[in-house]
Amino acid sequence: MGEHQQRLTNYLAAYIDELVGNGVDEVVISPGSRSTPLALLFTHHPGVKTYINVDERSAAFFGLGIAKAKKKPVAILCTSGTAAANYYPAVIEARYAKVPLIVLTADRPHELREVGAPQAINQLDLYGKHVKWSVDMALPESSPGILQYAKASAARGVSLSISAPAGPVHFNFPIREPLIPALDEVTFLNSRREKRVLGGIRGLSPEMHDDLLGVLKEKQNGLIICGPGLAESAIDPIMEFAESHGFPIVADPLSQVRSGDHSKRNVMETYDAFLKIDEFKEAFQPDLIIRFGAMPVSKPLTLYLKGLTGVPYWVVSSGEEWQDPIAKATEFIYCDERLFCRDMKTDDEIRESGWLHQWITVNEMTRNILRTGDQPWNEGKAVKQLIEQLPDGASIFASNSMPIRDMDTFFFNNDRKISVHANRGANGIDGVVSTALGMSTGNTPMYLLIGDLAFFHDLNGLLAAKRYQLDITIVVMNNNGGGIFSFLPQASEGSYFEELFGTPMDLDFASAAAFYGAEYSLVKQESEFPSALQSTEGNRGIKIIEVLTNREENVAIHRNLWNFVSQEIAGKLKGNSL
């Protein structure tokens, strides 16, 4: 082994071994030349599972999905140049969705930077403020000090990626040729980490505790918001806290609060429908807001909160995050959610408030209308049928735009173990297929609910599913364009709407399904959908169900349903019959 090869091998092996020792045991690799030594050493490591994904954008979202599903940091590796730039959308999503990603980019050595060398771009701080930490690693050496530097950098990066709020970190590796490590001479340390970073959960000081508890005891009409990103371990404490104070909970579907075996007595899941009602918003004015998790999907909830004045609004978070998109928060309480709920429970009897009872009554009325309303076939009804047929233990990934909003409307409280996921960090439609496929490596059975534009946008993500025989059922709502734009004001601009916003593609996805070896069925009417779903049960691999819908009819049916809910609830409020 030559001197250069020895330095290259020892340095990168030390780095990788420390990554693995700190819990990074899955890596998504995109082929490339400059990243060769890292790719070979990762594949050679006995403690690492590798995935190969030729498209860097898809690869990054695939890694993001694995990290979301398994709640651990995952590495993604690519070569130099624009390959690294294709990671950017997933890095942004990881930053705002608080997902730990270890982003590894190979680079030219310093003498080949900014001199016109091929496949070389400025990769220093490539992802800007969208990563928690970025480091241009030293050139490979094998002196004891440099090996310790490599290990310390790996441990530091993993620690930063998982510390609250979690997020991506970026390692840029300049590497000189030749690029082949000595695999037959490398010695891994059986993933024995040399450096550990330990962190405890965060609590409140006695003074802060007493101050906040004093406020709580004075409030009778509190409202709790549960948004995306809640830890599963926080759900039961939040339920107990809400019941002890008699506060209703409005729970986003991504909070995982609407499903499971925990108590849901205080959980209001249909608020997106009844918060559209002016009479309700005027009559139901909270005197305290407490939010756990990120801001929910619901626009009616956002408008409701914006309309409140002088109401204390607490945002409880285990990390130092400034999540206040409507500029209404009055206190940011950086404390583990479980500790907060435990310490803020009172010794008094459970409060049975009229405030809570009225919320429960409105929620039950709305649920009955949404569940039993006799609407014509449309996307909302299809989503409702899909949810009803999901097997216990299933995970469903909802694309942005209309799918996640229909999930918000029609995912009712239930005792099944159904988890709901989405990319709500930056709310984009890029990489949705790849993220869901990444999640399928740790969550089964896996379902993806997606529109035709988002599906087309990431069709190449299906290659990973074919290559690794992943199991997923994909329901494509094909309304021939951007359905959500039909709900927005620009829909009235008839002369340019279809060209700029509707963007019909006139595609059917049977050919795409055949290209990737997927099972395929086409649904044109309501009676065909249940059997199409049933036909996928027990079949492994990619299953695609294309559901044809009409954009204009879908908008009209949704609005008619919301109007009916509004009329029923408003009538009860005016008659004081709640």
Side-chain angles (χ1 to χ4, degrees):
M1 178 167 59
E3 184 180 354
H4 170 78
Q5 192 178 39
Q6 182 181 29
R7 292 197 302 264
L8 181 74
T9 303
N10 293 346
Y11 175 78
L12 296 180
Y15 172 85
I16 289 172
D17 217 29
E18 193 68 23
L19 273 190
V20 178
N22 282 273
V24 183
D25 56 6
E26 296 191 69
V27 57
V28 183
I29 300 171
S30 294
S33 177
R34 191 62 54 167
S35 54
T36 293
L38 283 161
L40 288 173
L41 286 164
F42 269 121
T43 305
H44 189 64
H45 196 295
V48 175
K49 181 176 178 59
T50 59
Y51 298 90
I52 308 302
N53 195 318
V54 298
D55 181 337
E56 286 83 9
R57 188 181 73 169
S58 173
F61 277 106
F62 187 74
L64 177 85
I66 298 172
K68 284 167 73 83
K70 299 180 180 177
K71 297 178 174 58
K72 68 176 186 180
V74 170
I76 54 177
L77 169 65
C78 73
T79 191
S80 60
T82 56
N86 281 299
Y87 278 172
Y88 214 155
V91 170
I92 291 172
E93 177 62 27
R95 161 67 175 81
Y96 288 103
K98 298 184 284 295
V99 178
L101 271 188
I102 310 298
V103 182
L104 310 175
T105 56
D107 199 356
R108 295 300 201 254
H110 299 75
E111 67 270 17
L112 293 181
R113 295 176 179 176
E114 302 297 331
V115 295
Q119 207 169 333
I121 65 172
N122 185 349
Q123 295 177 200
L124 303 186
D125 296 318
L126 179 63
Y127 308 110
K129 295 182 179 180
H130 292 108
V131 291
K132 297 182 68 177
W133 184 49
S134 180
V135 56
D136 188 33
M137 294 292 287
L139 285 161
E141 296 287 346
S142 57
S143 66
I146 291 295
L147 294 183
Q148 284 298 320
Y149 158 80
K151 295 172 185 176
S153 298
R156 180 181 179 185
V158 175
S159 171
L160 287 170
S161 76
I162 62 178
S163 61
V169 296
H170 175 212
F171 292 92
N172 190 60
F173 279 91
I175 303 172
R176 289 194 178 104
E177 296 178 340
L179 302 169
I180 306 301
L183 296 181
D184 55 343
E185 298 187 32
V186 69
T187 301
F188 291 112
L189 301 176
N190 296 318
S191 303
R192 178 176 60 82
R193 61 184 176 187
E194 294 190 8
K195 302 179 184 301
R196 296 193 299 162
V197 180
L198 305 177
I201 58 177
R202 190 170 185 174
L204 295 173
S205 69
E207 294 78 11
M208 293 176 182
H209 167 268
D210 293 345
D211 180 53
L212 293 174
L213 188 58
V215 174
L216 264 175
K217 289 181 176 180
E218 294 175 356
K219 303 301 181 182
Q220 301 295 315
N221 296 342
L223 178 65
I224 295 173
I225 301 170
C226 287
L230 276 185
E232 185 179 351
S233 59
I235 293 176
D236 278 329
I238 293 173
M239 299 304 105
E240 294 169 6
F241 169 75
E243 290 182 359
S244 73
H245 289 281
F247 293 167
I249 300 170
V250 295
D252 187 273
L254 300 175
S255 69
Q256 315 307 333
V257 168
R258 299 188 192 181
S259 183
D261 57 8
H262 55 271
S263 169
K264 302 174 200 67
R265 179 179 181 273
N266 293 48
V267 177
M268 314 294 134
E269 81 271 38
T270 65
Y271 60 90
D272 184 72
F274 63 72
L275 284 179
K276 292 181 172 74
I277 306 169
D278 290 336
E279 290 84 352
F280 179 90
K281 291 187 287 186
E282 292 170 5
F284 287 72
Q285 297 279 307
D287 56 13
L288 173 66
I289 303 288
I290 304 174
R291 196 183 86 220
F292 301 94
M295 193 68 184
V297 171
S298 171
K299 187 172 182 179
L301 174 62
T302 297
L303 295 175
Y304 173 64
L305 296 175
K306 280 184 174 181
L308 300 176
T309 56
V311 178
Y313 185 152
W314 300 353
V315 176
V316 182
S317 171
S318 57
E320 295 187 5
E321 306 162 70
W322 196 269
Q323 291 200 328
D324 185 24
I326 59 174
K328 284 289 186 176
T330 57
E331 276 85 20
F332 294 89
I333 302 171
Y334 297 138
C335 175
D336 183 85
E337 293 92 342
R338 294 166 296 172
L339 286 182
F340 176 88
C341 292
R342 183 197 70 187
D343 294 344
M344 291 296 157
K345 285 173 60 179
T346 68
D347 296 328
D348 303 333
E349 293 183 3
I350 293 177
R351 191 182 294 173
E352 292 289 345
S353 67
W355 165 257
L356 174 62
H357 174 75
Q358 289 180 313
W359 275 85
I360 291 174
T361 301
V362 172
N363 187 66
E364 289 178 346
M365 289 177 57
T366 306
R367 184 196 304 131
N368 289 336
I369 295 171
L370 294 174
R371 177 174 280 162
T372 62
D374 185 23
Q375 301 91 34
W377 175 242
N378 70 99
E379 292 176 23
K381 197 168 188 179
V383 171
K384 185 166 62 172
Q385 288 184 6
L386 169 62
I387 294 168
E388 290 170 351
Q389 289 194 225
L390 289 175
D392 194 35
S395 296
I396 182 165
F397 197 98
S399 178
N400 286 311
S401 297
M402 283 309 296
I404 188 60
R405 287 168 172 81
D406 279 332
M407 287 295 297
D408 197 6
T409 300
F410 296 107
F411 190 75
F412 305 123
N413 289 346
N414 63 87
D415 294 330
R416 295 178 293 163
K417 291 289 290 183
I418 305 294
S419 59
V420 183
H421 309 275
N423 279 346
R424 292 299 293 177
N427 302 355
I429 65 167
D430 41 356
V432 172
V433 174
S434 297
T435 308
L437 289 171
M439 292 206 72
S440 75
T441 66
N443 293 63
T444 55
M446 189 78 203
Y447 289 75
L448 169 60
L449 175 65
I450 191 168
D452 54 305
L453 284 183
F455 189 51
F456 169 76
H457 206 280
D458 194 27
L459 263 179
N460 58 347
L462 291 175
L463 182 60
K466 180 180 180 181
R467 180 178 186 127
Y468 295 104
Q469 299 180 321
L470 301 178
D471 185 30
I472 191 168
T473 300
I474 303 174
V475 177
V476 183
M477 294 294 176
N478 189 350
N479 55 29
N480 200 24
I484 195 168
F485 291 109
S486 297
F487 288 84
L488 301 179
Q490 52 263 53
S492 62
E493 299 297 324
S495 54
Y496 299 109
F497 177 77
E498 282 297 286
E499 178 183 358
L500 294 176
F501 305 103
T503 57
M505 298 185 295
D506 298 313
L507 295 176
D508 71 71
F509 294 100
S511 298
F515 188 65
Y516 290 103
E519 178 185 319
Y520 172 84
S521 58
L522 178 65
V523 172
K524 295 183 177 180
Q525 53 191 10
E526 181 175 357
S527 60
E528 299 171 344
F529 191 43
S531 59
L533 286 169
Q534 290 169 6
S535 69
T536 67
E537 295 177 8
N539 300 338
R540 286 195 58 81
I542 315 170
K543 290 89 65 179
I544 298 173
I545 302 173
E546 182 179 0
V547 181
L548 297 184
T549 64
N550 180 282
R551 270 189 281 135
E552 289 74 19
E553 292 176 2
N554 188 58
V555 172
I557 293 168
H558 273 73
R559 286 179 172 158
N560 287 339
L561 180 60
W562 294 332
N563 288 338
F564 184 66
V565 170
S566 297
Q567 292 168 6
E568 291 293 304
I569 302 299
K572 295 287 185 181
L573 287 169
K574 290 177 180 178
N576 295 316
S577 55
L578 287 181

